[in-house]
Amino acid sequence: MKETIIEMEKYAKEHNVPIIEKDSIKFIMKYIKLNNVKKILELGTAIGYSGILMVSASEGVELTTIERDEKRYMEALKNVKKCGLEKQIEIVFQDALDVNLVGRTYDLIFIDAAKGQYIKFFEKFSHYLSPGGVIITDNINFHGLVGNRSEDMSKNLNSLVSKIEDYIEFLKTNQEFTTKFYEIGDGLSVSYKKDEK
Ligand code: SAH
Ligand code: MG
């Protein structure tokens, strides 16, 4: 398992796969342990790196993770197998916005897929939270570019940064959720559903 993790880090570097930063995954693993998280949904599997680590955070954790890129999906399948976690990790090869999870609930939803679609993901998947569940979102600082743009940024990059800024505003003004922002790794947010009265 430890060896596979190191191999994955190397693969990610060589193939430009944007896996989670060490401090961020440590924070999430601690959260899973302390809050007795059992069921996790992840949007954006990539090669399975964050998924495998989340499942290893404590006993009896089950993960459903969604990936739309076939090459990465195949790579993730291979890595999950290598770690012997096929029973705990279900990988769905589909666009997250097309996936139907009716009837399921999750203690933790980890949003880490296309940065331009964060609001859509939040709106679609927040319905699947179990009571007391949270949504954690990665790359809230987007490589330090959020709130810190440079003149020579491409149009595409500019638009992505705008979308993350919109997402942050969406979280801050959300009536149903309270969100805390953390300067960890590439920036993380943790959103809790407000108590229903
Ligand atoms: N969570 C991973 C990294 C994910 S990178 C880790 O930290 O190890 C983001 C991934 O999301 C990419 O592999 C990309 O193909 C996938 N993705 C982006 N938009 C998606 C969508 N709408 N549905 C499913 N997967 C998506
Ligand atoms: Mg990420």
Coordinates of all heavy atoms in Angstrom, one line a residue, residues 6-61:
I6 N 3.5 5.8 -3.1 CA 4.7 6.4 -3.7 C 4.7 6.4 -5.2 O 5.0 7.3 -5.9 CB 6.0 5.9 -3.0 CG1 6.0 6.2 -1.5 CG2 7.2 6.4 -3.7 CD1 7.0 5.5 -0.7
E7 N 4.4 5.2 -5.7 CA 4.3 5.0 -7.2 C 3.3 6.0 -7.8 O 3.5 6.5 -8.9 CB 3.8 3.6 -7.5 CG 4.9 2.6 -7.6 CD 4.3 1.2 -7.8 OE1 3.3 1.0 -8.4 OE2 5.0 0.2 -7.3
M8 N 2.2 6.2 -7.1 CA 1.1 7.1 -7.6 C 1.6 8.5 -7.6 O 1.3 9.3 -8.6 CB -0.1 7.0 -6.8 CG -0.9 5.6 -7.0 SD -2.1 5.4 -5.7 CE -3.5 6.3 -6.5
E9 N 2.3 8.9 -6.6 CA 2.9 10.3 -6.6 C 3.8 10.5 -7.7 O 3.8 11.6 -8.4 CB 3.6 10.5 -5.2 CG 2.6 10.6 -4.1 CD 3.2 10.6 -2.7 OE1 4.5 10.3 -2.6 OE2 2.5 10.7 -1.7
K10 N 4.6 9.5 -8.0 CA 5.5 9.6 -9.1 C 4.8 9.7 -10.5 O 5.1 10.5 -11.3 CB 6.4 8.3 -9.1 CG 7.8 8.5 -9.8 CD 8.7 7.4 -9.5 CE 9.6 7.2 -10.7 NZ 9.9 5.8 -11.0
Y11 N 3.8 8.8 -10.6 CA 3.0 8.8 -11.9 C 2.3 10.1 -12.1 O 2.3 10.7 -13.2 CB 1.9 7.7 -11.8 CG 1.0 7.6 -13.0 CD1 1.3 6.6 -14.0 CD2 -0.1 8.4 -13.1 CE1 0.5 6.5 -15.1 CE2 -0.9 8.3 -14.2 CZ -0.6 7.4 -15.2 OH -1.4 7.3 -16.3
A12 N 1.8 10.7 -11.0 CA 1.1 12.0 -11.1 C 2.0 13.1 -11.6 O 1.7 13.9 -12.4 CB 0.5 12.3 -9.7
K13 N 3.2 13.1 -11.0 CA 4.2 14.1 -11.4 C 4.5 13.9 -12.9 O 4.5 14.9 -13.7 CB 5.5 13.9 -10.6 CG 6.1 15.2 -10.2 CD 7.3 15.0 -9.3 CE 7.2 15.9 -8.1 NZ 8.2 15.5 -7.1
E14 N 4.8 12.7 -13.3 CA 5.2 12.4 -14.7 C 4.1 12.7 -15.7 O 4.4 13.0 -16.8 CB 5.7 10.9 -14.8 CG 7.1 10.8 -14.3 CD 7.5 9.3 -14.1 OE1 6.7 8.4 -14.5 OE2 8.6 9.1 -13.6
H15 N 2.9 12.4 -15.3 CA 1.8 12.6 -16.3 C 0.9 13.8 -16.0 O -0.2 13.9 -16.6 CB 0.9 11.3 -16.2 CG 1.6 10.1 -16.7 ND1 2.4 9.4 -15.9 CD2 1.6 9.5 -17.9 CE1 2.9 8.3 -16.6 NE2 2.4 8.4 -17.8
N16 N 1.4 14.7 -15.2 CA 0.7 16.0 -14.9 C -0.7 15.7 -14.4 O -1.7 16.4 -14.8 CB 0.6 16.8 -16.1 CG 1.9 17.6 -16.3 OD1 2.4 18.2 -15.3 ND2 2.4 17.7 -17.5
V17 N -0.9 14.8 -13.5 CA -2.2 14.6 -12.8 C -2.2 15.4 -11.5 O -1.3 15.2 -10.7 CB -2.4 13.1 -12.5 CG1 -3.8 12.9 -11.9 CG2 -2.3 12.3 -13.8
P18 N -3.2 16.3 -11.4 CA -3.2 17.2 -10.2 C -3.7 16.5 -9.0 O -4.9 16.7 -8.6 CB -4.1 18.3 -10.7 CG -5.0 17.7 -11.7 CD -4.3 16.6 -12.3
I19 N -2.9 15.8 -8.3 CA -3.4 15.1 -7.1 C -3.3 16.1 -5.9 O -2.6 17.1 -5.9 CB -2.6 13.8 -6.8 CG1 -1.1 14.1 -6.6 CG2 -2.8 12.8 -7.8 CD1 -0.3 13.0 -6.1
I20 N -4.0 15.7 -4.8 CA -4.2 16.6 -3.7 C -2.8 16.8 -3.0 O -1.9 15.9 -3.0 CB -5.2 16.0 -2.7 CG1 -5.6 17.0 -1.6 CG2 -4.7 14.7 -2.1 CD1 -6.9 16.6 -0.9
E21 N -2.7 18.0 -2.3 CA -1.4 18.2 -1.6 C -1.4 17.5 -0.3 O -2.5 17.2 0.3 CB -1.3 19.7 -1.4 CG -1.0 20.5 -2.7 CD -0.5 21.9 -2.5 OE1 0.0 22.2 -1.4 OE2 -0.7 22.7 -3.4
K22 N -0.2 17.2 0.2 CA -0.1 16.3 1.4 C -0.8 16.9 2.6 O -1.5 16.2 3.3 CB 1.4 16.2 1.7 CG 2.1 15.3 0.8 CD 2.9 14.2 1.5 CE 3.3 13.0 0.6 NZ 4.5 13.3 -0.2
D23 N -0.7 18.2 2.9 CA -1.3 18.8 4.0 C -2.8 18.7 4.0 O -3.5 18.5 5.0 CB -0.9 20.3 4.2 CG 0.5 20.4 4.6 OD1 1.1 19.4 5.1 OD2 1.1 21.5 4.5
S24 N -3.3 18.8 2.7 CA -4.8 18.8 2.6 C -5.3 17.4 2.8 O -6.3 17.2 3.5 CB -5.2 19.2 1.1 OG -4.6 20.5 0.8
I25 N -4.7 16.4 2.3 CA -5.2 15.0 2.5 C -5.0 14.6 4.0 O -5.9 14.0 4.6 CB -4.5 14.0 1.5 CG1 -5.3 12.6 1.6 CG2 -3.1 13.8 1.8 CD1 -6.7 12.7 1.1
K26 N -4.0 15.1 4.6 CA -3.8 14.9 6.1 C -4.9 15.4 6.9 O -5.5 14.8 7.8 CB -2.5 15.5 6.6 CG -1.3 14.6 6.5 CD -0.1 15.2 7.2 CE 1.2 14.6 6.7 NZ 2.3 15.5 6.8
F27 N -5.3 16.7 6.5 CA -6.4 17.3 7.2 C -7.7 16.5 7.0 O -8.5 16.3 7.9 CB -6.6 18.8 6.6 CG -7.8 19.5 7.0 CD1 -7.7 20.4 8.1 CD2 -9.0 19.4 6.4 CE1 -8.8 21.1 8.6 CE2 -10.1 20.1 6.8 CZ -10.0 21.0 7.9
I28 N -8.0 16.1 5.8 CA -9.2 15.3 5.5 C -9.2 14.0 6.2 O -10.2 13.6 6.8 CB -9.4 15.1 4.0 CG1 -9.6 16.5 3.3 CG2 -10.6 14.2 3.7 CD1 -9.6 16.5 1.8
M29 N -8.1 13.3 6.2 CA -8.0 12.0 6.9 C -8.2 12.2 8.4 O -8.9 11.3 9.0 CB -6.6 11.4 6.7 CG -6.4 10.9 5.2 SD -4.7 10.4 4.8 CE -4.7 8.8 5.5
K30 N -7.7 13.3 9.0 CA -8.0 13.5 10.4 C -9.5 13.8 10.6 O -10.1 13.3 11.6 CB -7.1 14.7 10.8 CG -6.9 14.8 12.3 CD -5.8 15.9 12.5 CE -6.0 16.4 13.9 NZ -5.2 17.6 14.1
Y31 N -10.1 14.5 9.7 CA -11.5 14.8 9.8 C -12.3 13.5 9.8 O -13.2 13.3 10.6 CB -12.0 15.8 8.7 CG -13.4 16.1 8.8 CD1 -13.9 17.1 9.6 CD2 -14.4 15.2 8.3 CE1 -15.2 17.4 9.8 CE2 -15.7 15.4 8.5 CZ -16.1 16.5 9.2 OH -17.5 16.7 9.4
I32 N -11.9 12.6 8.9 CA -12.6 11.3 8.8 C -12.6 10.5 10.1 O -13.6 10.0 10.6 CB -12.0 10.5 7.6 CG1 -12.3 11.2 6.3 CG2 -12.5 9.1 7.6 CD1 -11.6 10.6 5.1
K33 N -11.4 10.5 10.6 CA -11.1 9.8 11.9 C -11.9 10.4 13.0 O -12.6 9.7 13.8 CB -9.6 9.8 12.2 CG -9.1 8.4 12.4 CD -7.6 8.5 12.7 CE -7.2 7.3 13.5 NZ -5.8 7.1 13.5
L34 N -11.7 11.7 13.2 CA -12.3 12.3 14.4 C -13.9 12.3 14.3 O -14.5 12.4 15.4 CB -11.9 13.8 14.5 CG -10.4 13.9 14.9 CD1 -10.0 15.4 14.9 CD2 -10.1 13.3 16.3
N35 N -14.4 12.3 13.1 CA -15.9 12.5 13.0 C -16.6 11.2 12.7 O -17.7 11.1 12.3 CB -16.2 13.6 12.0 CG -15.8 14.9 12.5 OD1 -16.5 15.5 13.4 ND2 -14.6 15.4 12.1
N36 N -15.8 10.1 12.7 CA -16.4 8.8 12.5 C -17.1 8.7 11.1 O -18.2 8.1 11.0 CB -17.3 8.4 13.6 CG -17.5 7.0 13.7 OD1 -16.7 6.2 13.3 ND2 -18.7 6.6 14.3
V37 N -16.5 9.3 10.1 CA -17.0 9.3 8.8 C -17.0 7.8 8.2 O -16.0 7.2 8.3 CB -16.3 10.2 7.8 CG1 -16.6 10.0 6.4 CG2 -16.5 11.7 8.2
K38 N -18.1 7.4 7.7 CA -18.2 6.0 7.1 C -18.4 6.0 5.6 O -17.9 5.1 4.9 CB -19.3 5.2 7.8 CG -19.0 4.9 9.3 CD -17.8 4.0 9.5 CE -17.5 3.8 10.9 NZ -16.0 3.6 11.2
K39 N -19.2 6.9 5.1 CA -19.5 6.9 3.7 C -19.1 8.2 3.0 O -19.5 9.3 3.5 CB -21.1 6.7 3.5 CG -21.5 5.3 4.0 CD -22.7 4.9 3.1 CE -23.3 3.5 3.6 NZ -22.3 2.5 3.7
I40 N -18.3 8.0 2.0 CA -17.7 9.2 1.3 C -18.1 9.2 -0.2 O -18.1 8.1 -0.8 CB -16.2 9.2 1.5 CG1 -15.8 9.1 2.9 CG2 -15.6 10.5 0.8 CD1 -14.2 9.0 3.1
L41 N -18.4 10.3 -0.7 CA -18.5 10.5 -2.1 C -17.4 11.5 -2.6 O -17.3 12.5 -2.0 CB -19.9 11.1 -2.5 CG -20.1 11.5 -3.9 CD1 -20.2 10.3 -4.8 CD2 -21.5 12.3 -4.1
E42 N -16.7 11.1 -3.6 CA -15.7 12.0 -4.2 C -16.0 12.3 -5.7 O -16.3 11.4 -6.4 CB -14.3 11.3 -4.1 CG -13.2 12.0 -4.8 CD -11.9 11.3 -4.7 OE1 -11.8 10.2 -5.3 OE2 -10.9 11.8 -4.2
L43 N -15.9 13.5 -6.0 CA -16.1 13.9 -7.4 C -14.7 14.2 -8.0 O -14.0 15.1 -7.5 CB -17.0 15.2 -7.5 CG -18.3 15.1 -6.8 CD1 -19.1 16.4 -7.1 CD2 -19.1 13.9 -7.1
G44 N -14.2 13.4 -8.9 CA -12.9 13.6 -9.5 C -11.9 12.6 -8.8 O -11.2 12.9 -7.9
T45 N -11.9 11.4 -9.3 CA -11.0 10.3 -8.8 C -9.6 10.5 -9.2 O -8.7 10.2 -8.4 CB -11.5 8.9 -9.4 OG1 -12.9 8.8 -9.4 CG2 -10.8 7.8 -8.7
A46 N -9.4 11.0 -10.4 CA -8.1 11.0 -11.1 C -7.5 9.6 -11.1 O -8.2 8.6 -11.5 CB -7.1 12.0 -10.5
I47 N -6.4 9.3 -10.5 CA -5.8 8.0 -10.5 C -6.1 7.2 -9.1 O -5.5 6.2 -8.8 CB -4.3 8.0 -10.8 CG1 -3.5 8.8 -9.8 CG2 -4.1 8.5 -12.2 CD1 -2.0 8.7 -9.9
G48 N -6.9 7.8 -8.3 CA -7.3 7.1 -7.1 C -6.5 7.5 -5.8 O -6.8 7.0 -4.8
Y49 N -5.7 8.5 -6.0 CA -4.8 8.8 -4.9 C -5.5 9.3 -3.6 O -5.4 8.7 -2.6 CB -3.8 9.9 -5.4 CG -2.7 10.3 -4.4 CD1 -1.6 9.6 -4.1 CD2 -2.9 11.6 -3.7 CE1 -0.7 10.0 -3.1 CE2 -1.9 12.0 -2.8 CZ -0.8 11.2 -2.5 OH 0.1 11.6 -1.6
S50 N -6.3 10.4 -3.7 CA -7.0 10.9 -2.5 C -8.0 9.9 -2.0 O -8.2 9.7 -0.8 CB -7.7 12.2 -2.9 OG -8.5 12.1 -4.0
G51 N -8.6 9.1 -3.0 CA -9.6 8.2 -2.6 C -9.1 7.1 -1.7 O -9.6 6.7 -0.7
I52 N -7.9 6.5 -2.2 CA -7.3 5.4 -1.4 C -6.9 5.9 0.0 O -7.1 5.2 1.0 CB -6.1 4.9 -2.2 CG1 -6.6 4.1 -3.4 CG2 -5.2 4.0 -1.3 CD1 -5.5 3.7 -4.4
L53 N -6.4 7.1 0.0 CA -5.9 7.6 1.3 C -7.1 7.9 2.3 O -7.1 7.6 3.5 CB -5.0 8.9 1.2 CG -3.6 8.5 0.6 CD1 -2.9 9.8 0.2 CD2 -2.8 7.7 1.7
M54 N -8.2 8.4 1.7 CA -9.4 8.7 2.5 C -9.9 7.4 3.1 O -10.3 7.3 4.3 CB -10.5 9.4 1.7 CG -10.2 10.9 1.4 SD -11.6 11.8 0.8 CE -11.8 11.1 -0.8
V55 N -10.0 6.4 2.3 CA -10.5 5.1 2.8 C -9.6 4.5 3.9 O -10.0 3.8 4.8 CB -10.7 4.1 1.6 CG1 -10.8 2.7 2.0 CG2 -12.0 4.5 0.8
S56 N -8.3 4.8 3.8 CA -7.3 4.2 4.7 C -7.3 5.0 6.0 O -6.6 4.6 7.0 CB -5.9 4.2 4.2 OG -5.9 4.0 2.8
A57 N -8.1 6.1 6.1 CA -8.0 7.0 7.3 C -8.5 6.3 8.6 O -8.0 6.5 9.7 CB -8.7 8.2 7.1
S58 N -9.5 5.4 8.4 CA -10.0 4.7 9.5 C -10.8 3.4 9.1 O -10.9 3.2 7.9 CB -10.9 5.7 10.4 OG -12.2 5.4 10.3
E59 N -11.2 2.6 10.1 CA -11.8 1.3 9.7 C -13.2 1.5 9.1 O -14.0 2.4 9.5 CB -12.0 0.5 11.0 CG -10.8 -0.1 11.6 CD -10.2 -1.2 10.8 OE1 -11.0 -2.1 10.5 OE2 -9.0 -1.1 10.3
G60 N -13.6 0.7 8.2 CA -15.0 0.6 7.7 C -15.4 1.8 6.9 O -16.6 2.0 6.8
V61 N -14.5 2.5 6.3 CA -14.9 3.6 5.4 C -15.2 3.1 4.0 O -14.5 2.2 3.5 CB -13.8 4.6 5.3 CG1 -14.1 5.8 4.4 CG2 -13.4 5.2 6.7

